[in-house]
Amino acid sequence: MSHLANQENLPTLPSRPSCCSLARFAMPAMVLLTVASLATTAFFVGRGFRASQASQAADQIDWEALGIPINATASVVSEKYSMATGFVSQDVEGLFVLDHNSGLLQCNVLYPRQNPTGGFLGQFSVNVADTLGVGAKGGEYIMVTGVAEFQRSSSRPAAGTVIYVMDTASGNYAGYGIPFDRVVMNSGRKQNGRMVLLVTGSANPIVDRDTLR
């Protein structure tokens, strides 16, 4: 009995607060989060650096030496004029200018190896209004160039570019070829002529429903 009484009179030790347990786990968790954050940052920084190195390496590649041609054309349009460029030979582009008021489409070509400061020695033209059915008030045009490698001969010279013109008011369009002769260019002689109508179409075709059944 005295032994039990002594146990009952023993002082009770205070329990450790729960915040201490939380502090024990909070510190390792913070360390893990910091390590993960640093690893993620290093990954994306290294990835960006590798991408930058790859981009610089691509810029230094001589694509033409590898046999890969890099060609680019451009076209712009305003209220009164459209302008585009397109290759008429391997080493020269033609300049295409379309007058919206008259419908006159011109292709002018420099000879880069024979006095390039001597002006346009190749000149070709056609009136697109005749084909697109535009009235006397002029049309609302857009214009782009495309690539087409035609069969060439001495009697049928042709550039590797087709110029496409659309009248946006009607949706009618046409494609023209350029009878550009590289042999004449290489000899330094002037050349001119009429562009050749290759194809016509409409962005608003009349659909024959019977043929769709």
Short mmCIF file of all heavy atoms in Angstrom, two decimals, residues 105-177:
data_model
loop_
_atom_site.label_atom_id
_atom_site.label_comp_id
_atom_site.label_asym_id
_atom_site.label_seq_id
_atom_site.Cartn_x
_atom_site.Cartn_y
_atom_site.Cartn_z
N LEU A 105 -0.04 44.07 -115.08
CA LEU A 105 0.92 43.31 -114.28
C LEU A 105 2.25 43.28 -115.03
O LEU A 105 2.30 42.89 -116.19
CB LEU A 105 0.41 41.88 -114.07
CG LEU A 105 1.39 40.89 -113.42
CD1 LEU A 105 1.79 41.34 -112.03
CD2 LEU A 105 0.77 39.49 -113.39
N GLN A 106 3.33 43.68 -114.35
CA GLN A 106 4.65 43.73 -114.97
C GLN A 106 5.63 42.85 -114.18
O GLN A 106 5.56 42.77 -112.95
CB GLN A 106 5.19 45.15 -115.00
CG GLN A 106 4.33 46.14 -115.77
CD GLN A 106 4.93 47.53 -115.73
OE1 GLN A 106 5.94 47.80 -116.37
NE2 GLN A 106 4.31 48.41 -114.96
N CYS A 107 6.52 42.22 -114.92
CA CYS A 107 7.64 41.48 -114.32
C CYS A 107 8.93 42.07 -114.85
O CYS A 107 9.16 42.07 -116.07
CB CYS A 107 7.55 40.00 -114.67
SG CYS A 107 9.01 39.05 -114.16
N ASN A 108 9.75 42.60 -113.98
CA ASN A 108 11.02 43.23 -114.35
C ASN A 108 12.17 42.43 -113.74
O ASN A 108 12.12 42.05 -112.57
CB ASN A 108 11.08 44.68 -113.87
CG ASN A 108 9.99 45.52 -114.51
OD1 ASN A 108 9.81 45.52 -115.72
ND2 ASN A 108 9.24 46.24 -113.68
N VAL A 109 13.21 42.20 -114.54
CA VAL A 109 14.31 41.33 -114.12
C VAL A 109 15.64 42.04 -114.33
O VAL A 109 15.92 42.57 -115.42
CB VAL A 109 14.30 40.01 -114.92
CG1 VAL A 109 15.39 39.07 -114.38
CG2 VAL A 109 12.94 39.35 -114.85
N LEU A 110 16.47 42.02 -113.30
CA LEU A 110 17.86 42.47 -113.41
C LEU A 110 18.74 41.33 -113.91
O LEU A 110 18.45 40.15 -113.66
CB LEU A 110 18.39 42.93 -112.05
CG LEU A 110 17.81 44.21 -111.45
CD1 LEU A 110 18.31 44.36 -110.02
CD2 LEU A 110 18.21 45.42 -112.27
N TYR A 111 19.81 41.67 -114.62
CA TYR A 111 20.81 40.67 -115.00
C TYR A 111 21.98 40.82 -114.04
O TYR A 111 22.82 41.72 -114.19
CB TYR A 111 21.29 40.90 -116.43
CG TYR A 111 20.29 40.58 -117.51
CD1 TYR A 111 19.00 40.16 -117.20
CD2 TYR A 111 20.63 40.68 -118.85
CE1 TYR A 111 18.07 39.86 -118.18
CE2 TYR A 111 19.72 40.37 -119.86
CZ TYR A 111 18.44 39.97 -119.52
OH TYR A 111 17.54 39.67 -120.51
N PRO A 112 22.10 40.00 -113.03
CA PRO A 112 23.12 40.21 -111.99
C PRO A 112 24.56 40.08 -112.48
O PRO A 112 25.46 40.67 -111.89
CB PRO A 112 22.79 39.12 -110.95
CG PRO A 112 22.07 38.08 -111.72
CD PRO A 112 21.31 38.79 -112.78
N ARG A 113 24.80 39.33 -113.54
CA ARG A 113 26.18 39.11 -114.02
C ARG A 113 26.55 40.03 -115.17
O ARG A 113 27.71 40.15 -115.51
CB ARG A 113 26.34 37.65 -114.45
CG ARG A 113 26.15 36.67 -113.29
CD ARG A 113 26.31 35.25 -113.75
NE ARG A 113 26.06 34.30 -112.68
CZ ARG A 113 26.05 32.99 -112.82
NH1 ARG A 113 26.29 32.46 -114.02
NH2 ARG A 113 25.81 32.20 -111.79
N GLN A 114 25.57 40.63 -115.80
CA GLN A 114 25.84 41.53 -116.93
C GLN A 114 25.35 42.94 -116.58
O GLN A 114 24.19 43.27 -116.82
CB GLN A 114 25.15 41.04 -118.21
CG GLN A 114 25.76 39.80 -118.82
CD GLN A 114 25.22 38.54 -118.17
OE1 GLN A 114 24.20 38.58 -117.49
NE2 GLN A 114 25.88 37.43 -118.38
N ASN A 115 26.22 43.72 -115.98
CA ASN A 115 25.91 45.11 -115.67
C ASN A 115 24.60 45.25 -114.89
O ASN A 115 23.59 45.72 -115.42
CB ASN A 115 25.83 45.94 -116.96
CG ASN A 115 25.73 47.43 -116.67
OD1 ASN A 115 26.03 47.87 -115.56
ND2 ASN A 115 25.28 48.19 -117.65
N PRO A 116 24.58 44.84 -113.62
CA PRO A 116 23.35 44.92 -112.83
C PRO A 116 22.86 46.35 -112.60
O PRO A 116 21.70 46.56 -112.24
CB PRO A 116 23.74 44.25 -111.50
CG PRO A 116 25.23 44.37 -111.44
CD PRO A 116 25.70 44.28 -112.86
N THR A 117 23.74 47.35 -112.81
CA THR A 117 23.31 48.75 -112.65
C THR A 117 22.71 49.31 -113.93
O THR A 117 22.34 50.48 -113.99
CB THR A 117 24.51 49.62 -112.23
OG1 THR A 117 25.51 49.57 -113.25
CG2 THR A 117 25.08 49.14 -110.91
N GLY A 118 22.61 48.49 -114.95
CA GLY A 118 22.09 48.96 -116.23
C GLY A 118 20.58 48.96 -116.32
O GLY A 118 20.02 49.19 -117.41
N GLY A 119 19.89 48.69 -115.23
CA GLY A 119 18.43 48.70 -115.23
C GLY A 119 17.86 47.32 -115.52
O GLY A 119 18.57 46.31 -115.59
N PHE A 120 16.55 47.28 -115.67
CA PHE A 120 15.86 46.02 -115.95
C PHE A 120 16.01 45.67 -117.43
O PHE A 120 15.50 46.37 -118.30
CB PHE A 120 14.38 46.13 -115.59
CG PHE A 120 14.12 46.31 -114.12
CD1 PHE A 120 13.62 47.50 -113.62
CD2 PHE A 120 14.38 45.28 -113.23
CE1 PHE A 120 13.37 47.66 -112.28
CE2 PHE A 120 14.14 45.42 -111.87
CZ PHE A 120 13.64 46.62 -111.39
N LEU A 121 16.69 44.57 -117.69
CA LEU A 121 16.89 44.13 -119.07
C LEU A 121 15.87 43.07 -119.49
O LEU A 121 15.76 42.75 -120.66
CB LEU A 121 18.30 43.60 -119.27
CG LEU A 121 19.42 44.63 -119.03
CD1 LEU A 121 20.78 44.01 -119.28
CD2 LEU A 121 19.22 45.86 -119.90
N GLY A 122 15.16 42.52 -118.53
CA GLY A 122 14.07 41.60 -118.81
C GLY A 122 12.76 42.23 -118.39
O GLY A 122 12.61 42.63 -117.23
N GLN A 123 11.81 42.33 -119.30
CA GLN A 123 10.53 42.97 -119.00
C GLN A 123 9.40 42.19 -119.66
O GLN A 123 9.43 41.93 -120.87
CB GLN A 123 10.52 44.43 -119.49
CG GLN A 123 11.53 45.31 -118.76
CD GLN A 123 11.49 46.76 -119.24
OE1 GLN A 123 11.45 47.00 -120.45
NE2 GLN A 123 11.51 47.70 -118.31
N PHE A 124 8.40 41.84 -118.84
CA PHE A 124 7.24 41.08 -119.31
C PHE A 124 5.98 41.70 -118.69
O PHE A 124 6.03 42.23 -117.58
CB PHE A 124 7.36 39.60 -118.92
CG PHE A 124 8.65 38.98 -119.36
CD1 PHE A 124 9.78 39.03 -118.56
CD2 PHE A 124 8.74 38.36 -120.60
CE1 PHE A 124 10.98 38.46 -118.97
CE2 PHE A 124 9.93 37.78 -121.02
CZ PHE A 124 11.05 37.83 -120.20
N SER A 125 4.85 41.62 -119.39
CA SER A 125 3.65 42.25 -118.89
C SER A 125 2.41 41.55 -119.42
O SER A 125 2.45 40.78 -120.39
CB SER A 125 3.61 43.73 -119.28
OG SER A 125 3.57 43.87 -120.70
N VAL A 126 1.27 41.82 -118.76
CA VAL A 126 -0.04 41.33 -119.18
C VAL A 126 -1.08 42.14 -118.43
O VAL A 126 -0.80 42.68 -117.35
CB VAL A 126 -0.19 39.82 -118.86
CG1 VAL A 126 -0.29 39.58 -117.36
CG2 VAL A 126 -1.40 39.24 -119.57
N ASN A 127 -2.28 42.24 -118.99
CA ASN A 127 -3.37 42.93 -118.30
C ASN A 127 -4.29 41.89 -117.69
O ASN A 127 -4.97 41.15 -118.41
CB ASN A 127 -4.14 43.83 -119.27
CG ASN A 127 -5.00 44.84 -118.51
OD1 ASN A 127 -5.82 44.45 -117.69
ND2 ASN A 127 -4.80 46.12 -118.79
N VAL A 128 -4.32 41.82 -116.37
CA VAL A 128 -5.11 40.79 -115.69
C VAL A 128 -6.60 41.10 -115.71
O VAL A 128 -7.43 40.21 -115.54
CB VAL A 128 -4.63 40.62 -114.23
CG1 VAL A 128 -3.16 40.23 -114.19
CG2 VAL A 128 -4.87 41.88 -113.40
N ALA A 129 -6.96 42.38 -115.92
CA ALA A 129 -8.37 42.75 -115.96
C ALA A 129 -9.09 42.07 -117.11
O ALA A 129 -10.28 41.77 -117.03
CB ALA A 129 -8.52 44.27 -116.05
N ASP A 130 -8.37 41.81 -118.20
CA ASP A 130 -8.98 41.14 -119.34
C ASP A 130 -9.43 39.73 -118.98
O ASP A 130 -10.45 39.24 -119.48
CB ASP A 130 -7.98 41.08 -120.51
CG ASP A 130 -7.58 42.46 -121.01
OD1 ASP A 130 -8.33 43.42 -120.75
OD2 ASP A 130 -6.50 42.56 -121.62
N THR A 131 -8.68 39.07 -118.11
CA THR A 131 -9.00 37.70 -117.74
C THR A 131 -9.96 37.62 -116.56
O THR A 131 -10.87 36.78 -116.54
CB THR A 131 -7.71 36.94 -117.38
OG1 THR A 131 -6.82 36.96 -118.49
CG2 THR A 131 -8.00 35.51 -116.99
N LEU A 132 -9.81 38.50 -115.59
CA LEU A 132 -10.60 38.43 -114.37
C LEU A 132 -11.94 39.14 -114.49
O LEU A 132 -12.75 39.09 -113.56
CB LEU A 132 -9.80 39.01 -113.20
CG LEU A 132 -8.46 38.31 -112.91
CD1 LEU A 132 -7.76 38.97 -111.74
CD2 LEU A 132 -8.68 36.83 -112.65
N GLY A 133 -12.18 39.80 -115.61
CA GLY A 133 -13.47 40.43 -115.83
C GLY A 133 -13.73 41.63 -114.95
O GLY A 133 -14.87 41.88 -114.53
N VAL A 134 -12.68 42.40 -114.70
CA VAL A 134 -12.81 43.59 -113.86
C VAL A 134 -13.25 44.76 -114.74
O VAL A 134 -12.79 44.92 -115.86
CB VAL A 134 -11.47 43.90 -113.16
CG1 VAL A 134 -11.58 45.17 -112.34
CG2 VAL A 134 -11.06 42.73 -112.29
N GLY A 135 -14.14 45.59 -114.21
CA GLY A 135 -14.63 46.73 -114.97
C GLY A 135 -13.63 47.85 -115.09
O GLY A 135 -12.47 47.76 -114.65
N ALA A 136 -14.07 48.95 -115.68
CA ALA A 136 -13.18 50.09 -115.94
C ALA A 136 -12.72 50.77 -114.66
O ALA A 136 -11.72 51.49 -114.67
CB ALA A 136 -13.89 51.10 -116.84
N LYS A 137 -13.42 50.56 -113.55
CA LYS A 137 -13.05 51.24 -112.31
C LYS A 137 -11.88 50.56 -111.61
O LYS A 137 -11.39 51.05 -110.58
CB LYS A 137 -14.25 51.27 -111.36
CG LYS A 137 -15.40 52.15 -111.86
CD LYS A 137 -16.52 52.19 -110.85
CE LYS A 137 -17.65 53.09 -111.33
NZ LYS A 137 -18.77 53.15 -110.35
N GLY A 138 -11.39 49.46 -112.17
CA GLY A 138 -10.28 48.78 -111.53
C GLY A 138 -10.76 47.70 -110.58
O GLY A 138 -11.95 47.57 -110.29
N GLY A 139 -9.81 46.91 -110.08
CA GLY A 139 -10.16 45.81 -109.20
C GLY A 139 -9.53 45.93 -107.83
O GLY A 139 -8.76 46.85 -107.56
N GLU A 140 -9.89 45.00 -106.98
CA GLU A 140 -9.30 44.90 -105.64
C GLU A 140 -8.50 43.61 -105.63
O GLU A 140 -9.06 42.52 -105.54
CB GLU A 140 -10.39 44.89 -104.57
CG GLU A 140 -11.25 46.16 -104.57
CD GLU A 140 -12.41 46.07 -103.59
OE1 GLU A 140 -12.49 45.05 -102.87
OE2 GLU A 140 -13.21 47.01 -103.55
N TYR A 141 -7.19 43.73 -105.73
CA TYR A 141 -6.35 42.59 -106.02
C TYR A 141 -5.49 42.17 -104.83
O TYR A 141 -5.12 42.99 -103.97
CB TYR A 141 -5.40 42.90 -107.19
CG TYR A 141 -6.08 43.18 -108.50
CD1 TYR A 141 -6.13 44.48 -109.00
CD2 TYR A 141 -6.66 42.16 -109.25
CE1 TYR A 141 -6.75 44.76 -110.22
CE2 TYR A 141 -7.27 42.42 -110.47
CZ TYR A 141 -7.31 43.72 -110.94
OH TYR A 141 -7.92 43.98 -112.15
N ILE A 142 -5.15 40.89 -104.83
CA ILE A 142 -4.06 40.36 -104.01
C ILE A 142 -3.22 39.49 -104.93
O ILE A 142 -3.70 38.99 -105.96
CB ILE A 142 -4.54 39.55 -102.78
CG1 ILE A 142 -5.50 38.43 -103.21
CG2 ILE A 142 -5.19 40.47 -101.77
CD1 ILE A 142 -5.96 37.56 -102.06
N MET A 143 -1.95 39.28 -104.57
CA MET A 143 -1.03 38.63 -105.50
C MET A 143 0.04 37.86 -104.72
O MET A 143 0.59 38.37 -103.74
CB MET A 143 -0.38 39.69 -106.39
CG MET A 143 0.57 39.16 -107.44
SD MET A 143 1.12 40.49 -108.56
CE MET A 143 2.11 41.51 -107.45
N VAL A 144 0.34 36.64 -105.16
CA VAL A 144 1.41 35.83 -104.57
C VAL A 144 2.14 35.10 -105.69
O VAL A 144 1.64 35.01 -106.82
CB VAL A 144 0.88 34.80 -103.55
CG1 VAL A 144 0.29 35.48 -102.34
CG2 VAL A 144 -0.14 33.87 -104.20
N THR A 145 3.30 34.55 -105.37
CA THR A 145 4.06 33.76 -106.34
C THR A 145 4.16 32.32 -105.88
O THR A 145 4.11 32.02 -104.68
CB THR A 145 5.48 34.33 -106.55
OG1 THR A 145 6.15 34.36 -105.28
CG2 THR A 145 5.43 35.72 -107.13
N GLY A 146 4.30 31.42 -106.84
CA GLY A 146 4.48 30.00 -106.54
C GLY A 146 5.57 29.42 -107.42
O GLY A 146 5.99 30.03 -108.41
N VAL A 147 6.03 28.22 -107.07
CA VAL A 147 7.12 27.56 -107.78
C VAL A 147 6.55 26.48 -108.69
O VAL A 147 5.67 25.72 -108.30
CB VAL A 147 8.13 26.95 -106.80
CG1 VAL A 147 9.22 26.20 -107.53
CG2 VAL A 147 8.73 28.04 -105.93
N ALA A 148 7.07 26.42 -109.92
CA ALA A 148 6.68 25.37 -110.87
C ALA A 148 7.83 25.16 -111.85
O ALA A 148 8.22 26.09 -112.55
CB ALA A 148 5.40 25.75 -111.61
N GLU A 149 8.37 23.95 -111.88
CA GLU A 149 9.47 23.65 -112.79
C GLU A 149 8.90 23.10 -114.10
O GLU A 149 8.53 21.94 -114.20
CB GLU A 149 10.43 22.63 -112.14
CG GLU A 149 11.25 23.20 -111.01
CD GLU A 149 12.17 24.32 -111.45
OE1 GLU A 149 12.61 24.29 -112.62
OE2 GLU A 149 12.43 25.23 -110.65
N PHE A 150 8.81 23.96 -115.10
CA PHE A 150 8.26 23.58 -116.39
C PHE A 150 9.33 22.92 -117.26
O PHE A 150 10.52 23.15 -117.09
CB PHE A 150 7.71 24.82 -117.11
CG PHE A 150 6.59 25.50 -116.37
CD1 PHE A 150 6.79 26.70 -115.73
CD2 PHE A 150 5.32 24.94 -116.33
CE1 PHE A 150 5.76 27.34 -115.05
CE2 PHE A 150 4.29 25.55 -115.66
CZ PHE A 150 4.51 26.76 -115.01
N GLN A 151 8.86 22.13 -118.21
CA GLN A 151 9.76 21.60 -119.23
C GLN A 151 10.21 22.76 -120.12
O GLN A 151 9.39 23.49 -120.65
CB GLN A 151 9.03 20.54 -120.08
CG GLN A 151 8.71 19.26 -119.34
CD GLN A 151 9.96 18.43 -119.08
OE1 GLN A 151 10.99 18.59 -119.73
NE2 GLN A 151 9.87 17.53 -118.10
N ARG A 152 11.51 22.90 -120.26
CA ARG A 152 12.05 24.02 -121.04
C ARG A 152 12.67 23.52 -122.33
O ARG A 152 13.18 22.41 -122.40
CB ARG A 152 13.10 24.79 -120.23
CG ARG A 152 12.58 25.41 -118.93
CD ARG A 152 13.68 26.19 -118.26
NE ARG A 152 13.25 26.80 -117.02
CZ ARG A 152 13.35 26.22 -115.83
NH1 ARG A 152 13.88 25.02 -115.74
NH2 ARG A 152 12.94 26.83 -114.74
N SER A 153 12.62 24.39 -123.31
CA SER A 153 13.29 24.13 -124.59
C SER A 153 13.66 25.48 -125.19
O SER A 153 13.24 26.54 -124.68
CB SER A 153 12.38 23.34 -125.53
OG SER A 153 11.26 24.11 -125.90
N SER A 154 14.43 25.45 -126.26
CA SER A 154 14.83 26.70 -126.90
C SER A 154 13.63 27.45 -127.47
O SER A 154 13.64 28.68 -127.58
CB SER A 154 15.85 26.42 -128.02
OG SER A 154 15.29 25.52 -128.98
N SER A 155 12.58 26.70 -127.82
CA SER A 155 11.39 27.34 -128.38
C SER A 155 10.37 27.71 -127.32
O SER A 155 9.45 28.48 -127.58
CB SER A 155 10.73 26.42 -129.42
OG SER A 155 10.34 25.19 -128.81
N ARG A 156 10.54 27.15 -126.12
CA ARG A 156 9.58 27.43 -125.03
C ARG A 156 10.33 27.71 -123.73
O ARG A 156 10.31 26.90 -122.80
CB ARG A 156 8.62 26.25 -124.84
CG ARG A 156 7.65 26.05 -125.97
CD ARG A 156 6.60 25.03 -125.58
NE ARG A 156 5.85 25.47 -124.41
CZ ARG A 156 4.93 24.72 -123.80
NH1 ARG A 156 4.68 23.50 -124.23
NH2 ARG A 156 4.28 25.18 -122.76
N PRO A 157 10.99 28.84 -123.64
CA PRO A 157 11.66 29.18 -122.37
C PRO A 157 10.61 29.50 -121.31
O PRO A 157 9.51 29.97 -121.62
CB PRO A 157 12.49 30.41 -122.73
CG PRO A 157 11.74 31.04 -123.87
CD PRO A 157 11.15 29.91 -124.65
N ALA A 158 10.95 29.24 -120.08
CA ALA A 158 10.00 29.51 -118.99
C ALA A 158 10.74 29.67 -117.68
O ALA A 158 11.73 28.97 -117.41
CB ALA A 158 8.98 28.37 -118.87
N ALA A 159 10.26 30.59 -116.88
CA ALA A 159 10.79 30.77 -115.53
C ALA A 159 10.16 29.73 -114.61
O ALA A 159 9.11 29.16 -114.92
CB ALA A 159 10.49 32.18 -115.03
N GLY A 160 10.80 29.49 -113.48
CA GLY A 160 10.28 28.52 -112.52
C GLY A 160 9.31 29.11 -111.52
O GLY A 160 9.16 28.57 -110.42
N THR A 161 8.65 30.19 -111.88
CA THR A 161 7.72 30.86 -110.99
C THR A 161 6.40 31.11 -111.70
O THR A 161 6.38 31.48 -112.87
CB THR A 161 8.31 32.20 -110.50
OG1 THR A 161 9.39 31.94 -109.61
CG2 THR A 161 7.27 33.03 -109.75
N VAL A 162 5.31 30.91 -110.97
CA VAL A 162 3.97 31.28 -111.44
C VAL A 162 3.47 32.41 -110.55
O VAL A 162 3.62 32.36 -109.32
CB VAL A 162 3.00 30.09 -111.37
CG1 VAL A 162 1.59 30.51 -111.81
CG2 VAL A 162 3.49 28.94 -112.23
N ILE A 163 2.92 33.44 -111.17
CA ILE A 163 2.37 34.57 -110.42
C ILE A 163 0.84 34.44 -110.39
O ILE A 163 0.22 34.31 -111.45
CB ILE A 163 2.81 35.92 -111.02
CG1 ILE A 163 2.27 37.08 -110.20
CG2 ILE A 163 2.47 36.03 -112.48
CD1 ILE A 163 2.98 37.29 -108.89
N TYR A 164 0.27 34.40 -109.19
CA TYR A 164 -1.17 34.23 -109.02
C TYR A 164 -1.79 35.56 -108.59
O TYR A 164 -1.32 36.19 -107.63
CB TYR A 164 -1.47 33.17 -107.98
CG TYR A 164 -0.97 31.79 -108.34
CD1 TYR A 164 0.25 31.32 -107.83
CD2 TYR A 164 -1.70 30.96 -109.18
CE1 TYR A 164 0.71 30.05 -108.15
CE2 TYR A 164 -1.24 29.69 -109.51
CZ TYR A 164 -0.03 29.24 -108.99
OH TYR A 164 0.44 27.98 -109.30
N VAL A 165 -2.84 35.95 -109.28
CA VAL A 165 -3.53 37.22 -108.98
C VAL A 165 -5.01 36.91 -108.75
O VAL A 165 -5.62 36.16 -109.53
CB VAL A 165 -3.38 38.22 -110.14
CG1 VAL A 165 -4.10 39.53 -109.79
CG2 VAL A 165 -1.91 38.49 -110.43
N MET A 166 -5.58 37.50 -107.70
CA MET A 166 -7.01 37.35 -107.42
C MET A 166 -7.67 38.70 -107.31
O MET A 166 -7.12 39.63 -106.71
CB MET A 166 -7.24 36.58 -106.12
CG MET A 166 -8.71 36.54 -105.68
SD MET A 166 -8.99 35.77 -104.08
CE MET A 166 -9.02 34.06 -104.58
N ASP A 167 -8.86 38.82 -107.90
CA ASP A 167 -9.72 39.97 -107.69
C ASP A 167 -10.62 39.64 -106.50
O ASP A 167 -11.50 38.77 -106.60
CB ASP A 167 -10.56 40.26 -108.93
CG ASP A 167 -11.60 41.34 -108.68
OD1 ASP A 167 -11.29 42.29 -107.93
OD2 ASP A 167 -12.72 41.22 -109.22
N THR A 168 -10.40 40.29 -105.37
CA THR A 168 -11.12 39.94 -104.15
C THR A 168 -12.59 40.33 -104.20
O THR A 168 -13.38 39.83 -103.40
CB THR A 168 -10.46 40.61 -102.93
OG1 THR A 168 -10.45 42.04 -103.11
CG2 THR A 168 -9.02 40.13 -102.77
N ALA A 169 -12.96 41.21 -105.12
CA ALA A 169 -14.37 41.60 -105.23
C ALA A 169 -15.20 40.46 -105.83
O ALA A 169 -16.33 40.22 -105.42
CB ALA A 169 -14.50 42.86 -106.08
N SER A 170 -14.63 39.76 -106.82
CA SER A 170 -15.37 38.70 -107.49
C SER A 170 -14.94 37.30 -107.06
O SER A 170 -15.67 36.32 -107.22
CB SER A 170 -15.20 38.83 -109.01
OG SER A 170 -13.83 38.63 -109.37
N GLY A 171 -13.71 37.17 -106.52
CA GLY A 171 -13.16 35.86 -106.18
C GLY A 171 -12.51 35.16 -107.35
O GLY A 171 -12.02 34.03 -107.20
N ASN A 172 -12.47 35.80 -108.52
CA ASN A 172 -11.81 35.20 -109.68
C ASN A 172 -10.29 35.34 -109.55
O ASN A 172 -9.79 36.36 -109.07
CB ASN A 172 -12.27 35.88 -110.97
CG ASN A 172 -13.75 35.68 -111.23
OD1 ASN A 172 -14.33 34.67 -110.80
ND2 ASN A 172 -14.38 36.63 -111.91
N TYR A 173 -9.56 34.32 -109.99
CA TYR A 173 -8.10 34.38 -109.95
C TYR A 173 -7.52 33.75 -111.20
O TYR A 173 -8.19 32.99 -111.92
CB TYR A 173 -7.55 33.72 -108.69
CG TYR A 173 -7.92 32.27 -108.51
CD1 TYR A 173 -7.22 31.25 -109.14
CD2 TYR A 173 -8.99 31.91 -107.69
CE1 TYR A 173 -7.56 29.93 -108.96
CE2 TYR A 173 -9.35 30.60 -107.51
CZ TYR A 173 -8.64 29.60 -108.15
OH TYR A 173 -8.98 28.29 -107.98
N ALA A 174 -6.25 34.05 -111.43
CA ALA A 174 -5.55 33.53 -112.60
C ALA A 174 -4.08 33.35 -112.26
O ALA A 174 -3.53 34.05 -111.40
CB ALA A 174 -5.71 34.47 -113.80
N GLY A 175 -3.44 32.41 -112.95
CA GLY A 175 -2.01 32.17 -112.79
C GLY A 175 -1.28 32.40 -114.10
O GLY A 175 -1.75 31.96 -115.16
N TYR A 176 -0.15 33.10 -114.04
CA TYR A 176 0.60 33.46 -115.25
C TYR A 176 2.03 32.94 -115.16
O TYR A 176 2.65 32.96 -114.09
CB TYR A 176 0.63 34.98 -115.42
CG TYR A 176 -0.73 35.61 -115.61
CD1 TYR A 176 -1.48 36.03 -114.52
CD2 TYR A 176 -1.27 35.78 -116.89
CE1 TYR A 176 -2.73 36.60 -114.70
CE2 TYR A 176 -2.52 36.35 -117.07
CZ TYR A 176 -3.24 36.75 -115.97
OH TYR A 176 -4.49 37.32 -116.15
N GLY A 177 2.54 32.50 -116.31
CA GLY A 177 3.93 32.11 -116.43
C GLY A 177 4.74 33.19 -117.12
O GLY A 177 4.18 34.07 -117.79
#
